[in-house]
Amino acid sequence: MLRAFSIWLFCIRLSLTMPSLAMESQPELWIESNYPQAPWENITLWCRSPSQLSRKFLLLKDKTEMTWISPSFKTFQVSFPIGPLTESNTGLYRCCYWKETGWSKPSKVLELEAPGQLPKPIFWIQAETPPLSGCNVNILCHGWLQDLVFMLFKEGYAEPVEYQVPTGTMAIFSIDNLTPENEGVYICRTHIQMLPTLWSEPSNPLKLVVAGLYPKPTLTAYPGHIMAPGEDLSLRCQGPIYGMAFALMKLEDLEKSFYHKKSIKNEAYFFFRSLKIHDAGHYVCFYYDGSYRGSLLSDVLEIWVTDTFPKTWLLAQPSPVVPTGQNVSLQCRGPINGVGLALYKKGEDKPLQFLDSASINDNKSFILNNVTLSDAGIYNCHYLLTWKTSIRIAPHHTVELVVVDKPPKPSLSASSSTVYKLGKAISLQCRVSHPVLEFCLEWEEKAAFQKFSVNGDSIISNVEGKGTGTYSCSYHREAHHNIWGLQRSEPLKLMRPAGLHTWNYVLNEALRLSLIVQLVALLVILLWVRWKCRRLRIREAWLLGTAQGVTMLFIVTALLCCGLCNGVLTEETEIIMPTPKPELWAETNFPLAPWKNLTLWCRSPSGSTKEFVLLKDGTGWIATRPASEQVRAAFPLGALTQSHTGSYHCHSWEEMAVSEPSEALELVGTDILPKPVLSASPPIRGQELQIQCKGWLAGLGFALYKEGEQEPVQQLGAVGREAFFTIRRMEEKDEGNYSCRTHTERHPFKWSEPSEPLELVIKEMYPKPFFKTWHSPVVTPGARVTFNCSTPQQHMSFILYKDGSEIASSDRSWASPGASSAHFLIISVGIGDGGNYSCRYYDFAVWSEPSDAVELVVTEFYPKPTLLAQPGPVVLPGEDVTLHCQGAFQDMRFALLRQGTQVPLQFQSVSGNSADFLLHTISTEDSGNYSCIYYETTMSNRGSYLSMPLMIWVTDTFPKPSLFAEPSSVVPMGQSVTLWCQGPVHGVGYILHKEGEAASAQLWGSTSNDGAFSITSMSGASTGRYSCCYHPEWTSPIKIQPSNTLELIVTGLLPKPNLLAQPGPMVAPGENMTLRCEGELPDSTFVLLKEGTQEPLEQQKPSGYRADFWMPVVRSEDSGVYSCVYYLDSAPFAASNHSDSLQIWVTDKPPKPSLSAWPSTVFKLGKDITLQCRGPLPGVEFVLEHEGEEAPQQFSEDGDFVISNVEGKGIGNYSCSYRLQASPDIWSEPSDPLELVGAAGPAAQECTVGNIVRSSLIVVVVIALGVVLAIEWKKWPRLRTRGSETDGRDHTIALEECNQEEEPDTTTNSPSSASRDISVELPVQL
């Protein structure tokens, strides 16, 4: 009786739509035997894991280890041979399989009794809903052997009420529309099909009781369902019937939170003394009689245990800005149900209006009718309790109601600038202080121009200068969507760069003009110097120096100009990534006394690190270590002594840079742990704050202290090298100086020095900015990433942070009014660029709150994970599905992505190597391809490759798979063939059915989208009609559709037929064709096949010996190689040999033939050449043509033509073509030309003549060059003397000109001058 009640309670538990713990799936154990009439003669036990591969399987007998098997490769199932069943083999058997975390849960118990008896089946119930009247219940019977007959018996009936012959080891007996008549005790028995006298022992009895026979009770809470911790609570369950037993359940924990009360009256009280936080939850109750006939469940009652009421929110409809005389609805809602609400106005003590819980359930709101200017103000709403409690009321969200005589004026601004730039558009933003239905943008220069927008943003392009002009915007309201606002924004003028003389524009134009002027000046100087001193060769050095100086001046000015132009026009700030800071920590193999053996580790987040350097006290280079594959290095210190005390930090070296130093690790001596480091983000009033304490060693405890208090304010156990202390709600009382200490895990504790104090002060801040990436934050190496940080505040400067460190900044812009924003750009992402990015903005004195962090993950560093769906990838709408992402490494963070969305759907940080993502109550919109990645958060978010996409189907019917044979469904005798069952659903097994056979071939656990069923040697027993369907490994009510039917035919058992084409094997497109297949036996079925297709094209069953396959209006796609087979009706699927292949051509012109020569294309003395013309079609006549002759040379049916070279007449180009004998008017295209030559043919003569001409030209050029050189050689002495005279004369003239320029009225009698005069007057010797 108690077993029946527990089953009923289990069904109730299944029906509750509350999250439950994931139960571990059991392996399946069953028996196979090759003696179907006497299975105990040879027994083999099989064990199969439910969802994953394994390398170890364990068989248990009577709760002790019997044997284990480790196959050479991972598999789903293994066999344990037992052999003949004897007395020593009898007992209770179970099996397990090895998982990453250890052995799995054992399978159900298999009891082997004495030989000659079948194992006792096991019997249990499965219900999708509580066993109420009218619901469906499944009773499962597991018989351990396959192909058994299962019988269901009910107490009081001699004959079985139902029997089944399933293909597996389990039968499912369904009871639809459950009624009280179905109550009773049931058992299950099995027997062998071919031996009906051999029965198994009866299963354990199972009593089925119909629940819900009594009306549901009511559950109430006294004094109320919202209480503070430490207060008392009483839950009252009342029903209409006296003398019943009552039960109370907490839905979040059914097993531990289950209370019984036997009451004389029709009610029971359940008392909770001094409530705890964990007592909060959802409760239901019911009552039952002595036969465990139960009532319906009561309505769910939610109990809140909290010290502060959760916030309520208030929303004004249609808008918080309304004109006088309009009605306003103030909608107040909160997370707590069953409590009334009160509306308050700032400045007034008493509430204005009340709403009870029934009105709230009907979605009623507070109404302000015909508002006036006196109704303007700040409103909020509170919970209205009817009982006393010590719960504090937290500040609530408020709504400021603005009552105006006329609607407010909107504002119009440009996103970046009001000046068009080359190739760029301008975004105009129309804004107003309250919600509106739609915005309208108007252009004054064009009356018909209007742009409508819901969010107020409009893109204006400047194609051919047509976007300039004056713009304004207006709006219409939600309450009166047909009336546009009377207020328009101030006009905004958009201009071209040439039409707006701003300071930036003037500066750019002035710089460009200065470049042109300097270039012209440079050219003028060069021309003047060239003209003034064109004969003075000694001034060439000065001239060169002047030109270089002016050129350098020009280049420097141009570079300055380019820099200034860049500064003016830059719109994106490029992020110059610093070399990432490494991480330093310590490890020891003495957790209770770490100083006995200490090793320092340094790890870099950059994959290009070549070497690590450890420094002590900032100066001493104590050691260097090359980077390992994990990009880290170890520095053993050994036993810690006084000489080791000091401050340590490390650097990482790359090819061209050295990183910033790591955070300092201070060793202060023996018996004292390293000093930790305490950090936290800026505290924000009313929000949660996490304080990080980094302790350098793993396995330590942490304690947080506040100045002025002796005891720690918080303590945490061993959680790794760092701990996070949480202040749930930051208030003024939490301000002060904090420090943290670490200690060993066991007593006596060894403590570290306190960390440096951290002051927490709440400061007034701007709201946090909006921070995002323009594309997905999950990127591949080399991708371009742009961060956008924006705020409605004007003229703000921005700072970009990575993992808490500042890496880039953008100064405020005064040029553009409206909201401020900054774009930070990473042109090419590297492996080390991943991390947690955030931004802040500030003005002269006030900072904003930090933005929400964006996790930038750089993929393709670790192996890709696997993604599986549990229970399966096909689920019903409204159900839950868990996506299991299995990675390759421990302590990673996992992210779930969906195709078509930029931001990951969920994140999870786990200590193992896998994560489960729950998709709750999915709908058809959730169908799609999902993938996952994992990445490490301590090493620049280096991530894995994306997993293979997993398609999730949200439907009530499996998609239909397709079945085909490879290479064909018509297979010769003895050859192999593979039947492929393909479908779009991944991760689901397939089952293959053959018509007329009960057994089916199964393919379990297929992880691809196709299932292969191989037939190694085709025979007559393998022929027949096949179909396949999905075979999910989970219990699901989703309908399964069979695939198409495939007929598998074996050939080679009858004489081959003949295949003919009428009117011929070549037809023009659009014509009709008939393929005739003639066999040797009557009453046959003929099958037409085409090479390259896996299915037969057509089947016919004529009355005679032949079948005509009519092909109307053929197309070019019908061309190909055809064949046919036939089989007798008395022996279906045992077909003849293939007919000879028939090539069919669908074309206007036959394909061109090929022409070749034998033995070669060169005539030899006294020998002929045979030209062979070959075509693809039979029944043709060939013709040979000789270039230069009008009439054809020869005709031939076999395509061979003999050519002789009498008097040189056989030399030349030949081609051939053919025509069909059935259609003599249709000729093929000519073949490619073939040239026949003599022993010294035209080609050889042409080559010889060409070589002679080229050689003659070379000789002529060489002779002409020699003559020119000889003439120049003879002129050389004369030119040299003449050059000396000219040089002397030029020097004299130049010196005289320079003397006249320096001293025009005096003469110079210097020795150098005289010597030069004498040299001019000397005769020149020849």
Side-chain angles (χ1 to χ4, degrees):
M1 189 69 69
L2 183 61
R3 173 179 172 83
F5 175 71
S6 63
I7 292 175
W8 172 73
L9 181 60
F10 173 72
C11 295
I12 293 179
R13 180 178 179 180
L14 288 178
S15 69
L16 298 174
T17 57
M18 300 296 296
S20 60
L21 297 175
M23 301 297 293
E24 180 185 357
S25 299
Q26 292 179 295
E28 182 184 0
L29 183 66
W30 76 94
I31 302 173
E32 289 190 3
S33 176
N34 53 358
Y35 293 89
Q37 298 185 7
W40 48 86
E41 295 292 337
N42 187 14
I43 286 180
T44 300
L45 300 186
W46 282 84
C47 182
R48 174 165 54 212
S49 64
S51 60
Q52 63 182 25
L53 300 171
S54 181
R55 285 193 177 275
K56 291 182 181 180
F57 289 83
L58 177 66
L59 183 64
L60 304 171
K61 178 187 176 186
D62 299 327
K63 297 185 179 181
T64 60
E65 179 179 345
M66 179 178 178
T67 182
W68 64 275
I69 292 179
S70 179
S72 58
F73 57 91
K74 287 188 176 182
T75 182
F76 283 97
Q77 58 188 25
V78 296
S79 60
F80 296 91
I82 301 296
L85 184 62
T86 61
E87 291 294 337
S88 61
N89 294 334
T90 59
L92 304 178
Y93 287 83
R94 294 178 300 168
C95 74
C96 308
Y97 65 94
W98 180 260
K99 305 189 301 181
E100 298 294 337
T101 57
W103 290 106
S104 69
K105 187 177 180 180
S107 66
K108 290 182 173 61
V109 177
L110 167 62
E111 182 177 359
L112 292 182
E113 300 184 8
Q117 295 183 5
L118 295 179
K120 179 194 295 185
I122 58 175
F123 201 33
W124 73 98
I125 190 170
Q126 181 185 50
E128 299 175 3
T129 61
L132 308 177
S133 295
C135 74
N136 300 330
V137 173
N138 291 332
I139 302 178
L140 284 70
C141 184
H142 193 289
W144 308 108
L145 273 166
Q146 295 187 357
D147 301 329
L148 293 177
V149 178
F150 290 78
M151 297 286 187
L152 180 66
F153 294 88
K154 183 180 179 183
E155 186 179 21
Y157 294 85
E159 297 296 326
V161 294
E162 189 178 352
Y163 74 94
Q164 287 188 15
V165 186
T167 57
T169 59
M170 184 173 63
I172 302 177
F173 300 99
S174 298
I175 301 178
D176 299 331
N177 298 323
L178 192 67
T179 61
E181 287 76 14
N182 298 122
E183 289 184 331
V185 178
Y186 291 84
I187 61 171
C188 172
R189 298 185 69 182
T190 61
H191 71 81
I192 300 176
Q193 294 186 40
M194 303 180 66
L195 198 61
T197 58
L198 181 61
W199 287 80
S200 69
E201 288 292 320
S203 67
N204 293 328
L206 178 67
K207 185 172 183 179
L208 180 64
V209 177
V210 181
L213 298 180
Y214 299 116
K216 69 179 179 181
T218 58
L219 182 63
T220 53
Y222 294 94
H225 65 284
I226 307 172
M227 305 297 291
E231 296 180 341
D232 297 337
L233 175 68
S234 175
L235 297 183
R236 175 194 179 194
C237 186
Q238 184 179 25
I241 305 175
Y242 282 72
M244 292 288 185
F246 288 82
L248 178 71
M249 295 186 298
K250 182 182 177 184
L251 300 185
E252 286 80 4
D253 194 356
L254 292 176
E255 295 180 357
K256 296 182 180 179
S257 302
F258 195 87
Y259 313 95
H260 296 271
K261 278 278 182 84
K262 179 67 176 177
S263 177
I264 300 176
K265 297 183 179 181
N266 63 335
E267 61 183 9
Y269 289 88
F270 300 90
F271 297 99
F272 293 83
R273 305 291 184 187
S274 185
L275 285 170
K276 304 295 190 298
I277 295 294
H278 60 78
D279 291 326
H282 299 78
Y283 289 82
V284 294
C285 74
F286 62 94
Y287 58 93
Y288 55 94
D289 57 16
S291 299
Y292 295 98
R293 296 173 179 264
S295 70
L296 294 172
L297 297 178
S298 68
D299 294 331
V300 177
L301 176 63
E302 184 176 8
I303 300 299
W304 290 76
V305 182
T306 177
D307 56 356
T308 305
F309 272 104
K311 287 184 178 181
T312 58
W313 51 267
L314 191 63
L315 178 65
Q317 295 288 347
S319 169
V321 181
V322 293
T324 56
Q326 186 176 330
N327 298 336
V328 177
S329 171
L330 297 179
Q331 186 179 15
C332 181
R333 292 294 182 267
I336 299 180
N337 298 324
V339 183
L341 295 169
L343 179 67
Y344 291 84
K345 182 180 179 182
K346 187 175 183 181
E348 299 183 12
D349 296 334
K350 295 183 178 180
L352 302 180
Q353 297 182 27
F354 299 96
L355 285 177
D356 57 13
S357 58
S359 300
I360 297 173
N361 294 334
D362 295 337
N363 291 325
K364 292 184 179 180
S365 304
F366 301 106
I367 303 298
L368 300 180
N369 296 317
N370 299 321
V371 295
T372 61
L373 295 177
S374 61
D375 292 322
I378 298 176
Y379 291 82
N380 59 37
C381 64
H382 295 175
Y383 289 107
L384 184 64
L385 300 183
T386 58
W387 64 92
K388 291 184 179 181
T389 180
S390 59
I391 302 176
R392 293 183 289 108
I393 297 179
H396 295 263
H397 293 291
T398 60
V399 167
E400 182 177 3
L401 186 64
V402 180
V403 182
V404 295
D405 290 332
K406 56 182 179 180
K409 180 188 297 185
S411 64
L412 183 63
S413 61
S415 59
S416 57
S417 172
T418 58
V419 181
Y420 280 106
K421 297 175 183 178
L422 183 62
K424 294 195 175 182
I426 292 179
S427 176
L428 296 184
Q429 299 173 343
C430 187
R431 296 293 184 265
V432 72
S433 59
H434 60 86
V436 298
L437 187 62
E438 194 173 24
F439 291 90
C440 177
L441 182 69
E442 297 182 359
W443 188 10
E444 291 185 5
E445 285 77 5
K446 192 174 182 181
F449 176 87
Q450 283 186 333
K451 273 196 173 184
F452 297 94
S453 173
V454 176
N455 57 6
D457 294 342
S458 302
I459 305 298
I460 307 298
S461 58
N462 190 29
V463 180
E464 299 179 357
K466 294 181 180 180
T468 58
T470 303
Y471 292 83
S472 63
C473 72
S474 60
Y475 63 92
H476 64 102
R477 303 152 52 79
E478 294 182 359
H480 307 285
H481 57 272
N482 294 323
I483 303 176
W484 285 88
L486 300 178
Q487 296 293 327
R488 292 184 180 274
S489 66
E490 295 293 336
L492 181 68
K493 191 173 183 180
L494 302 184
M495 293 170 286
R496 294 187 297 270
L500 180 63
H501 297 289
T502 61
W503 169 246
N504 293 338
Y505 174 72
V506 173
L507 179 60
N508 290 336
E509 292 301 320
L511 291 173
R512 293 189 183 96
L513 183 60
S514 65
L515 288 176
I516 297 175
V517 171
Q518 292 185 43
L519 179 60
V520 173
L522 176 63
L523 294 176
V524 171
I525 292 173
L526 292 176
L527 292 175
W528 179 80
V529 173
R530 180 71 176 173
W531 174 77
K532 190 67 177 174
C533 298
R534 59 184 181 278
R535 297 184 178 180
L536 185 58
R537 295 191 177 182
I538 65 173
R539 292 188 179 181
E540 289 178 356
W542 173 86
L543 179 62
L544 181 59
T546 302
Q548 289 178 345
V550 175
T551 304
M552 289 302 295
L553 177 63
F554 172 76
I555 294 173
V556 171
T557 307
L559 290 176
L560 290 175
C561 174
C562 292
L564 290 174
C565 292
N566 248 354
V568 172
L569 299 177
T570 296
E571 295 182 359
E572 293 179 333
T573 302
E574 182 180 352
I575 303 174
I576 307 300
M577 286 290 181
T579 304
K581 180 189 298 185
E583 179 188 8
L584 182 64
W585 75 94
E587 290 185 1
T588 181
N589 51 359
F590 294 93
L592 299 180
W595 45 86
K596 291 186 177 180
N597 187 12
L598 206 63
T599 300
L600 301 186
W601 284 87
C602 187
R603 178 170 61 184
S604 171
S606 173
S608 57
T609 298
K610 303 297 183 184
E611 195 172 44
F612 290 93
V613 178
L614 181 68
L615 289 86
K616 178 186 175 187
D617 297 327
T619 55
W621 298 75
I622 67 169
T624 60
R625 292 288 186 274
S628 63
E629 294 182 359
Q630 291 80 19
V631 200
R632 63 179 185 175
F635 299 90
L637 298 184
L640 194 63
T641 62
Q642 196 64 33
S643 62
H644 290 120
T645 60
S647 178
Y648 292 82
H649 63 267
C650 68
H651 292 268
S652 62
W653 278 11
E654 299 185 3
E655 293 183 355
M656 300 298 292
V658 180
S659 72
E660 300 178 13
S662 65
E663 294 181 359
L665 187 155
E666 293 191 18
L667 298 179
V668 293
T670 60
D671 291 352
I672 302 178
L673 298 178
K675 181 189 296 186
V677 176
L678 192 64
S679 62
S681 59
I684 301 171
R685 187 189 311 276
Q687 294 190 12
E688 182 179 281
L689 178 67
Q690 283 196 338
I691 305 175
Q692 181 189 23
C693 183
K694 186 174 183 180
W696 309 109
L697 270 167
L700 297 179
F702 294 82
L704 180 67
Y705 293 85
K706 184 180 180 182
E707 187 177 9
E709 299 183 14
Q710 296 294 329
E711 297 297 325
V713 294
Q714 292 187 39
Q715 284 187 291
L716 293 174
V719 289
R721 293 194 297 270
E722 60 186 9
F724 291 91
F725 301 100
T726 302
I727 299 178
R728 296 294 181 187
R729 187 179 181 84
M730 192 68 189
E731 303 292 352
E732 284 79 1
K733 62 181 179 64
D734 299 315
E735 294 181 331
N737 291 322
Y738 290 80
S739 62
C740 73
R741 298 180 68 185
T742 59
H743 61 82
T744 54
E745 188 177 1
R746 299 178 183 175
H747 288 281
F749 289 153
K750 298 295 183 180
W751 289 85
S752 70
E753 288 289 320
S755 66
E756 296 296 329
L758 174 66
E759 183 179 11
L760 297 182
V761 179
I762 300 175
K763 297 180 180 180
E764 295 300 326
M765 292 185 177
Y766 288 125
K768 62 183 178 182
F770 180 69
F771 186 56
K772 66 174 184 177
T773 58
W774 281 0
H775 300 288
S776 174
V778 180
V779 297
T780 57
R784 178 188 179 101
V785 176
T786 301
F787 295 98
N788 174 263
C789 187
S790 60
T791 175
Q793 307 290 334
Q794 297 187 9
H795 311 307
M796 291 292 170
S797 299
F798 294 86
I799 302 292
L800 181 68
Y801 299 88
K802 178 190 175 187
D803 298 326
S805 301
E806 177 183 341
I807 60 172
S809 62
S810 176
D811 292 334
R812 65 175 61 89
S813 173
W814 297 93
S816 58
S820 302
S821 64
H823 303 314
F824 299 97
L825 171 67
I826 303 178
I827 295 180
S828 179
V829 171
I831 288 295
D833 294 336
N836 296 328
Y837 289 80
S838 61
C839 75
R840 297 178 70 184
Y841 64 91
Y842 64 94
D843 56 11
F844 295 102
V846 182
W847 284 74
S848 74
E849 301 175 15
S851 69
D852 295 331
V854 171
E855 298 185 39
L856 183 65
V857 181
V858 184
T859 60
E860 300 184 2
F861 187 82
Y862 291 109
K864 65 182 178 182
T866 56
L867 186 63
L868 301 174
Q870 297 173 352
V874 183
V875 291
L876 286 171
E879 292 189 350
D880 298 343
V881 63
T882 300
L883 300 183
H884 179 77
C885 186
Q886 180 72 43
F889 299 96
Q890 305 278 342
D891 300 325
M892 291 287 181
R893 185 166 170 82
F894 289 78
L896 178 67
L897 301 95
R898 180 185 173 188
Q899 184 177 344
T901 58
Q902 294 185 353
V903 181
L905 301 180
Q906 297 182 34
F907 291 94
Q908 277 195 32
S909 297
V910 296
S911 58
N913 60 353
S914 63
D916 291 330
F917 299 98
L918 175 64
L919 301 181
H920 183 65
T921 316
I922 61 177
S923 60
T924 54
E925 290 76 12
D926 296 315
S927 298
N929 282 311
Y930 290 79
S931 59
C932 70
I933 59 168
Y934 61 90
Y935 58 95
E936 50 182 343
T937 56
T938 58
M939 296 286 285
S940 296
N941 289 3
R942 297 186 305 188
S944 65
Y945 286 83
L946 265 71
S947 67
M948 292 294 293
L950 175 65
M951 183 67 186
I952 298 298
W953 299 79
V954 183
T955 178
D956 58 354
T957 305
F958 270 92
K960 188 175 182 179
S962 63
L963 181 64
F964 63 92
E966 191 178 40
S968 174
S969 60
V970 181
V971 190
M973 175 72 72
Q975 290 192 7
S976 62
V977 63
T978 301
L979 303 184
W980 290 92
C981 188
Q982 287 188 342
V985 181
H986 296 246
V988 182
Y990 297 89
I991 186 168
L992 183 68
H993 299 275
K994 182 180 178 182
E995 185 179 282
E997 293 187 7
S1000 301
Q1002 298 179 8
L1003 180 65
W1004 289 90
S1006 176
T1007 56
S1008 63
N1009 62 343
D1010 51 9
F1013 302 88
S1014 298
I1015 300 176
T1016 56
S1017 180
M1018 190 66 185
S1019 63
S1022 304
T1023 61
R1025 294 183 176 89
Y1026 289 84
S1027 64
C1028 71
C1029 62
Y1030 288 107
H1031 189 71
E1033 301 168 12
W1034 67 95
T1035 303
S1036 174
I1038 302 176
K1039 299 177 183 177
I1040 298 178
Q1041 303 182 80
S1043 68
N1044 57 292
T1045 302
L1046 175 71
E1047 293 187 353
L1048 195 60
I1049 301 173
V1050 63
T1051 63
L1053 302 178
L1054 299 174
K1056 72 177 181 179
N1058 295 324
L1059 183 63
L1060 303 175
Q1062 295 177 352
M1066 190 193 73
V1067 292
E1071 295 185 358
N1072 300 332
M1073 171 180 280
T1074 300
L1075 297 181
R1076 172 171 294 178
C1077 184
E1078 296 181 350
E1080 297 185 3
L1081 299 174
D1083 300 327
S1084 301
T1085 298
F1086 291 83
V1087 181
L1088 180 64
L1089 309 171
K1090 183 182 179 182
E1091 187 176 300
T1093 59
Q1094 295 162 341
E1095 298 288 334
L1097 297 183
E1098 189 179 348
Q1099 292 189 12
Q1100 285 191 19
K1101 187 180 178 181
S1103 57
Y1105 291 82
R1106 69 186 186 189
D1108 292 334
F1109 299 98
W1110 187 54
M1111 301 173 63
V1113 192
V1114 294
R1115 300 175 297 174
S1116 57
E1117 292 82 3
D1118 296 323
S1119 299
V1121 178
Y1122 290 78
S1123 62
C1124 70
V1125 296
Y1126 67 96
Y1127 58 85
L1128 299 176
D1129 299 341
S1130 58
F1133 314 121
S1136 65
N1137 286 314
H1138 284 259
S1139 67
D1140 294 334
S1141 299
L1142 177 63
Q1143 177 77 48
I1144 299 298
W1145 300 88
V1146 181
T1147 178
D1148 291 329
K1149 270 195 172 184
K1152 65 181 179 181
S1154 62
L1155 184 61
S1156 60
W1158 187 87
S1160 70
T1161 58
V1162 180
F1163 281 105
K1164 295 182 180 179
L1165 185 61
K1167 296 203 175 179
D1168 299 334
I1169 291 178
T1170 300
L1171 297 182
Q1172 298 174 339
C1173 186
R1174 298 292 183 262
L1177 300 180
V1180 297
E1181 183 181 19
F1182 296 92
V1183 61
L1184 182 68
E1185 297 180 354
H1186 187 194
E1187 185 178 337
E1189 297 183 6
E1190 297 181 359
Q1193 181 78 8
Q1194 297 181 33
F1195 291 89
S1196 173
E1197 292 186 358
D1198 58 1
D1200 293 341
F1201 303 94
V1202 178
I1203 307 299
S1204 59
N1205 191 22
V1206 179
E1207 298 180 357
K1209 293 182 179 180
I1211 297 173
N1213 291 323
Y1214 289 84
S1215 64
C1216 72
S1217 57
Y1218 64 90
R1219 63 180 178 183
L1220 298 177
Q1221 295 178 353
S1223 304
D1225 296 334
I1226 301 178
W1227 287 89
S1228 71
E1229 298 180 5
S1231 66
D1232 296 330
L1234 179 68
E1235 183 180 14
L1236 301 184
V1237 297
Q1245 296 174 2
E1246 182 179 353
C1247 180
T1248 303
V1249 172
N1251 290 338
I1252 294 174
V1253 172
R1254 295 185 185 94
S1255 302
S1256 301
L1257 288 176
I1258 293 173
V1259 172
V1260 171
V1261 171
V1262 171
I1263 293 175
L1265 183 60
V1267 173
V1268 172
L1269 291 176
I1271 296 173
E1272 293 297 324
W1273 177 257
K1274 291 180 180 180
K1275 293 181 179 180
W1276 175 249
R1278 192 186 314 162
L1279 293 173
R1280 184 177 55 186
T1281 305
R1282 191 175 300 166
S1284 300
E1285 294 176 358
T1286 304
D1287 291 344
R1289 190 180 302 111
D1290 290 344
H1291 282 289
T1292 303
I1293 295 172
L1295 288 174
E1296 288 177 356
E1297 290 179 356
C1298 290
N1299 289 334
Q1300 291 173 3
E1301 292 177 1
E1302 295 173 3
E1303 298 179 6
D1305 298 330
T1306 61
T1307 59
T1308 303
N1309 297 322
S1310 64
S1312 61
S1313 159
S1315 64
R1316 278 194 287 267
D1317 293 340
I1318 294 172
S1319 65
V1320 174
E1321 295 176 356
L1322 290 177
V1324 179
Q1325 298 181 358
L1326 298 178

